[in-house]
Amino acid sequence: MEEEYRLKVSHVYKSFPGVQALKDINLAVRKGTVHVLCGENGAGKSTLMKIINGIYKADIGGIEIDGKPVQIKNPIQARKLGISMIFQELNYVPEMTVEESLVLGDWPMTPLGTVNWKKIRKDVVDILEKEGLNYSPTTKLKELTVSDVQMLEIIKSIANNANIFIMDEPTSAITNKEVDRLFDKIAELKSRGASIIYISHKMDEIFKIADDITILRDGETILTDRAENFDIDKVISLMVGRKLGNNYPKETVEIGENILEVKDLYSEDVFNKCSFYARKGEIVGFAGLMGAKRTELVRTIFGIDKHSSGEIKIKGQVKNINSVADGINNGIAMLSEDRRRFGIIPCRSVRENVSLASLGKFFYNQFWHKGTENKEVRKYCEKMNVKTASYEVSVDTLSGGNQQKVLLARWILESPDILIMDEPTRGIDVGAKFEIYKLMTDLVKDGKTLIVVSSELPELIGMCDRIYVMCKGSIAGMLNRDEFSQETIMKLATGTITM
């Protein structure tokens, strides 16, 4: 019996200036299944999904839905055809309310031609109650966490009653409890015959929910097969085209004097009195559950947020850090967890994004030395292995992983003494993760100090010298490398034990 396919993509090609993004791509998604798409950043996954969603137009190739050829010219048409896409990068309007966000693009109208706000309020309240979310419909998105906004995007997609769901790294910014809720939703969608195209770099997720797996590499289809015919090693090997060996290239580095000392740092209604230190050549990790206030603490150290009391010492001297400029001037840089909102400048080129924090280095006697800027940008982009056709293309044409590398290049060019990395490998494939881990090792060998906030415990255990664990806005304990274990970290994070 011939398989019933919800979606078929045949012999698709797509190029951008200087780059062949997709070459003869074929994809067949069965009805009522989860089809996982795997590949390194830049392999073409997001480009293919944007073609299916009508954002890009294929140069060559065809698409069929339920056996019928279709021409998808834009996202509105895609939605009418039953396609719904959840993007990896959260493109939301911070000033928009929850209810405005959930009905965006599909405003119910009254017979008089005005927006039916009464119906919107009722529908949104029903949705929020059904999903167990304690938000007010009038809450602005800027007041929510990245995790909250991601869950709203997922709920909005499900509420559209589509038959084809494209989920691009949907769990990159949500808690384990929310992941379980999402997987329950996916099972519910499958039971009614919907098909899900699921992009993820998290190997444990892939084998929990996948029915079929397709591997892309360098814009080409490498292999499609049933999930039971793969294992983690096979997927990684096909993705990167090579064996990575040790996933965490941690090296023993000589630890020097205290570079950063934080004493009784307090922010009213955010985090309690927090004290910790970080030394030269050291990677210090911060673990904790979502809402533990790790991000808020490191944002305060960098100068993004204000603190109520306490002191920050750098190289033994008390510093008043009340702004990002203060942080940078004191040798601190920060890679934000939300690279779209606090990192890249989407309308600017790769070159401009890399050199942004170091412009003073390229001006002599009031003249801009473009040649010097180009040389330095190229040097650090090559060091980061940024994949781009040109350093003059807009940074938002790059994959999420390459955008992360651009931000790393920006801060390494600035040469800070202290680099704060908040979820540095979120949404990044295993190959790119390995490159970032090697970079982290190189930085501490050069005498830099790294502070790493991560929700991935194996990452912290694999790369850190010490780990501080936060629970409900307080530091619950500190572990040296020989004390690391996921069980102990989770007990501290949940408040089961204290130190």
Coordinates of all heavy atoms in Angstrom, one line a residue, residues 430-467:
V430 N 25.5 20.4 17.0 CA 26.5 19.8 17.7 C 27.9 20.2 17.2 O 28.9 20.4 18.0 CB 26.4 18.3 17.8 CG1 25.3 17.8 18.6 CG2 26.3 17.7 16.3
G431 N 28.0 20.4 15.9 CA 29.3 20.8 15.3 C 29.7 22.2 15.8 O 30.8 22.5 16.2
A432 N 28.7 23.1 15.7 CA 29.0 24.5 16.1 C 29.2 24.6 17.6 O 30.0 25.4 18.1 CB 27.8 25.4 15.7
K433 N 28.5 23.8 18.4 CA 28.7 23.8 19.8 C 30.2 23.4 20.1 O 30.8 24.0 20.9 CB 27.8 22.7 20.5 CG 26.4 23.2 20.7 CD 25.6 22.1 21.5 CE 24.2 22.6 21.7 NZ 23.4 21.6 22.5
F434 N 30.7 22.4 19.4 CA 32.1 21.9 19.7 C 33.0 23.1 19.4 O 34.0 23.3 20.1 CB 32.4 20.7 18.8 CG 33.7 20.1 19.0 CD1 33.9 19.3 20.2 CD2 34.7 20.2 18.1 CE1 35.1 18.7 20.4 CE2 36.0 19.6 18.4 CZ 36.1 18.9 19.5
E435 N 32.8 23.8 18.3 CA 33.6 25.0 17.9 C 33.6 26.0 19.0 O 34.6 26.6 19.4 CB 33.2 25.6 16.6 CG 33.4 24.7 15.4 CD 32.9 25.2 14.1 OE1 32.3 26.3 14.2 OE2 33.0 24.6 13.1
I436 N 32.4 26.3 19.6 CA 32.3 27.3 20.7 C 33.0 26.8 21.9 O 33.7 27.6 22.6 CB 30.8 27.6 20.9 CG1 30.3 28.4 19.7 CG2 30.7 28.4 22.2 CD1 28.8 28.8 19.8
Y437 N 32.9 25.5 22.2 CA 33.6 25.0 23.4 C 35.1 25.1 23.2 O 35.8 25.5 24.2 CB 33.2 23.5 23.6 CG 31.8 23.3 23.9 CD1 31.2 22.1 23.5 CD2 31.0 24.2 24.6 CE1 29.8 21.8 23.8 CE2 29.7 24.0 24.9 CZ 29.1 22.8 24.5 OH 27.8 22.6 24.8
K438 N 35.6 24.9 22.0 CA 37.0 25.0 21.8 C 37.5 26.5 22.0 O 38.5 26.8 22.5 CB 37.4 24.5 20.4 CG 37.4 23.0 20.2 CD 38.1 22.6 19.0 CE 37.5 23.1 17.7 NZ 38.2 22.5 16.5
L439 N 36.6 27.4 21.5 CA 36.9 28.8 21.6 C 36.9 29.2 23.1 O 37.8 30.0 23.5 CB 35.8 29.6 20.9 CG 35.8 31.1 21.2 CD1 37.1 31.7 20.6 CD2 34.6 31.8 20.7
M440 N 36.0 28.7 23.9 CA 36.0 28.9 25.4 C 37.3 28.5 26.0 O 37.9 29.2 26.8 CB 34.8 28.2 26.0 CG 33.4 28.8 25.6 SD 32.0 27.7 26.1 CE 32.1 27.6 27.8
T441 N 37.8 27.4 25.6 CA 39.1 26.9 26.1 C 40.2 27.8 25.7 O 41.1 28.1 26.5 CB 39.3 25.4 25.6 OG1 38.3 24.6 26.1 CG2 40.7 24.9 26.1
D442 N 40.2 28.2 24.4 CA 41.2 29.1 23.9 C 41.2 30.5 24.7 O 42.3 31.0 25.0 CB 41.0 29.4 22.4 CG 41.4 28.2 21.6 OD1 42.0 27.3 22.1 OD2 40.9 28.2 20.4
L443 N 40.0 30.9 25.0 CA 39.9 32.2 25.7 C 40.5 32.2 27.1 O 41.2 33.1 27.6 CB 38.4 32.7 25.8 CG 37.8 33.1 24.5 CD1 36.3 33.3 24.6 CD2 38.4 34.5 24.0
V444 N 40.2 31.1 27.9 CA 40.7 31.0 29.2 C 42.2 30.7 29.2 O 43.0 31.1 30.1 CB 40.0 30.0 30.1 CG1 38.6 30.4 30.4 CG2 40.0 28.6 29.4
K445 N 42.7 30.0 28.1 CA 44.2 29.8 28.0 C 44.9 31.2 27.8 O 46.0 31.4 28.1 CB 44.4 28.9 26.8 CG 44.1 27.4 27.2 CD 44.1 26.5 26.0 CE 45.4 26.3 25.4 NZ 45.4 25.3 24.3
D446 N 44.1 32.1 27.2 CA 44.6 33.5 27.0 C 44.5 34.4 28.2 O 44.8 35.6 28.2 CB 43.9 34.2 25.8 CG 44.4 33.6 24.5 OD1 45.4 32.9 24.4 OD2 43.6 33.8 23.5
G447 N 44.0 33.8 29.3 CA 43.8 34.6 30.5 C 42.5 35.2 30.7 O 42.3 36.0 31.7
K448 N 41.5 35.0 29.9 CA 40.2 35.6 30.1 C 39.4 34.8 31.1 O 39.7 33.7 31.5 CB 39.4 35.5 28.7 CG 40.1 36.1 27.5 CD 40.4 37.6 27.7 CE 41.1 38.1 26.5 NZ 41.5 39.5 26.7
T449 N 38.4 35.5 31.6 CA 37.5 34.9 32.6 C 36.1 34.7 32.0 O 35.6 35.7 31.5 CB 37.4 35.7 33.9 OG1 38.7 35.9 34.5 CG2 36.5 35.1 34.9
L450 N 35.6 33.5 32.1 CA 34.2 33.3 31.5 C 33.2 32.9 32.5 O 33.5 32.2 33.5 CB 34.3 32.1 30.5 CG 35.3 32.2 29.3 CD1 35.0 31.0 28.4 CD2 35.1 33.5 28.6
I451 N 32.1 33.6 32.4 CA 30.9 33.3 33.3 C 29.8 32.7 32.3 O 29.4 33.4 31.4 CB 30.4 34.5 34.0 CG1 31.5 35.0 35.0 CG2 29.1 34.2 34.8 CD1 31.2 36.3 35.7
V452 N 29.4 31.5 32.6 CA 28.5 30.8 31.6 C 27.2 30.4 32.3 O 27.2 29.7 33.3 CB 29.2 29.5 31.0 CG1 28.2 28.8 30.1 CG2 30.5 29.9 30.3
V453 N 26.1 31.0 31.8 CA 24.8 30.6 32.3 C 24.2 29.6 31.3 O 24.2 29.9 30.1 CB 23.8 31.8 32.4 CG1 22.4 31.4 32.7 CG2 24.4 32.8 33.4
S454 N 23.8 28.4 31.7 CA 23.3 27.4 30.8 C 22.3 26.6 31.5 O 22.3 26.3 32.7 CB 24.5 26.6 30.3 OG 23.9 25.5 29.4
S455 N 21.3 26.2 30.7 CA 20.2 25.2 31.1 C 20.6 23.8 30.8 O 19.9 22.9 31.2 CB 18.9 25.6 30.5 OG 18.5 26.9 30.9
E456 N 21.7 23.6 30.1 CA 22.2 22.3 29.8 C 23.2 21.8 30.8 O 24.4 22.3 30.7 CB 22.7 22.2 28.4 CG 21.7 22.5 27.3 CD 22.2 22.3 25.9 OE1 23.0 21.4 25.7 OE2 21.8 23.0 25.0
L457 N 22.9 21.0 31.7 CA 23.8 20.5 32.7 C 25.0 19.8 32.2 O 26.1 20.0 32.7 CB 23.1 19.6 33.8 CG 22.0 20.3 34.6 CD1 21.5 19.4 35.7 CD2 22.5 21.6 35.3
P458 N 24.9 19.0 31.2 CA 26.1 18.3 30.6 C 27.1 19.3 30.1 O 28.3 19.1 30.3 CB 25.6 17.4 29.5 CG 24.1 17.1 29.9 CD 23.7 18.4 30.6
E459 N 26.6 20.5 29.6 CA 27.5 21.5 29.1 C 28.3 22.2 30.2 O 29.5 22.4 30.2 CB 26.6 22.6 28.4 CG 27.4 23.7 27.8 CD 26.4 24.6 27.0 OE1 26.3 24.3 25.7 OE2 25.8 25.5 27.5
L460 N 27.6 22.5 31.3 CA 28.2 23.1 32.5 C 29.2 22.1 33.1 O 30.4 22.5 33.4 CB 27.2 23.5 33.5 CG 26.3 24.7 33.1 CD1 25.2 24.9 34.2 CD2 27.1 26.0 32.9
I461 N 28.8 20.9 33.3 CA 29.7 19.9 33.9 C 30.9 19.6 33.0 O 32.0 19.4 33.5 CB 28.9 18.6 34.2 CG1 27.8 18.8 35.3 CG2 29.8 17.4 34.5 CD1 26.9 17.7 35.5
G462 N 30.7 19.6 31.7 CA 31.8 19.3 30.8 C 32.8 20.4 30.6 O 34.0 20.1 30.4
M463 N 32.4 21.7 30.8 CA 33.3 22.8 30.5 C 33.7 23.7 31.7 O 34.7 24.4 31.6 CB 32.6 23.7 29.5 CG 32.5 23.1 28.1 SD 34.0 22.5 27.3 CE 34.9 24.1 27.3
C464 N 33.0 23.6 32.8 CA 33.3 24.6 33.9 C 34.3 24.1 34.9 O 34.5 22.9 35.1 CB 32.0 24.9 34.6 SG 30.8 25.8 33.6
D465 N 34.9 25.0 35.6 CA 35.8 24.7 36.7 C 35.1 24.7 38.0 O 35.4 24.0 38.9 CB 37.0 25.8 36.7 CG 37.8 25.7 35.5 OD1 38.5 24.8 35.3 OD2 37.7 26.7 34.7
R466 N 34.1 25.6 38.1 CA 33.2 25.7 39.3 C 31.8 26.0 38.8 O 31.7 26.7 37.8 CB 33.7 26.7 40.3 CG 35.0 26.4 41.0 CD 35.4 27.4 42.1 NE 35.6 28.8 41.5 CZ 34.8 29.8 41.8 NH1 33.8 29.7 42.7 NH2 35.1 31.0 41.2
I467 N 30.8 25.6 39.6 CA 29.4 25.9 39.2 C 28.7 26.4 40.5 O 28.7 25.8 41.5 CB 28.7 24.6 38.7 CG1 29.3 24.1 37.4 CG2 27.2 24.9 38.5 CD1 28.7 22.8 37.0

